[in-house]
């Protein structure tokens, strides 16, 4: 959670009005997915498969600092607990990161 919330904060920092939400969303299979949603810079869904790779960055390190291992760590923790993690985003319109446990 800490990484997802920190990322939401980092990628909304340049917005005039920041909006970060945490909530739940029922899934078709009966599970509950938790989510962190923001109105930050978002991302192109064409690159969604790269988000959770170690040292993969969609934005420059000078513009948005970080090591590029945060989401890889999130994915590893979620998988160890039997869950799934995925993301949806739109460039310049925010991102939502979902996970189940």
């Amino acid at each position: 959670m800490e990484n997802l919330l920190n990322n939401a904060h980092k990628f909304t920092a340049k917005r005039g009005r920041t909006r970060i939400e945490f909530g739940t969303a029922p899934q078709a299979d009966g599970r509950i997915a938790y989510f962190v949603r923001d109105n930050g810079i978002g991302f192109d869904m064409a690159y969604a498969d790269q988000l959770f790779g170690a040292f993969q960055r969609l934005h420059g390190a000078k513009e948005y600092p970080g090591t590029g291992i945060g989401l890889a760590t999130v994915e590893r923790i979620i998988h160890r607990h039997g869950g799934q993690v995925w993301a949806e985003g739109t460039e310049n319109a925010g991102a939502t990161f979902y996970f189940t446990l």
Side-chain angles (χ1 to χ4, degrees):
M1 278 302 299
E2 182 178 357
N3 181 272
L4 295 177
L5 290 169
N6 283 340
N7 277 357
H9 180 262
K10 175 171 45 176
F11 291 109
T12 59
K14 297 179 182 178
R15 295 285 188 205
R17 295 185 115 170
T18 297
R19 188 181 73 247
I20 299 172
E21 302 173 55
F22 173 75
T24 60
Q27 302 300 291
D29 63 3
R31 294 180 303 158
I32 299 294
Y34 302 91
F35 67 82
V36 174
R37 177 180 296 135
D38 66 60
N39 67 333
I41 63 170
F43 62 91
D44 184 336
M45 284 296 291
Y47 301 104
D49 61 333
Q50 296 177 25
L51 288 172
F52 298 98
F55 306 111
Q56 296 293 317
R57 300 180 55 94
L58 299 184
H59 307 288
K62 290 183 182 197
E63 190 175 13
Y64 295 98
T67 60
I69 63 167
L71 291 176
T73 302
V74 167
E75 181 181 58
R76 187 172 182 191
I77 291 168
I78 295 297
H79 285 175
R80 286 208 173 185
H81 289 280
Q84 294 178 304
V85 61
W86 67 97
E88 298 173 354
T90 304
E91 287 184 284
N92 297 312
T96 305
F97 286 81
Y98 296 91
F99 65 95
T100 61
L101 295 172

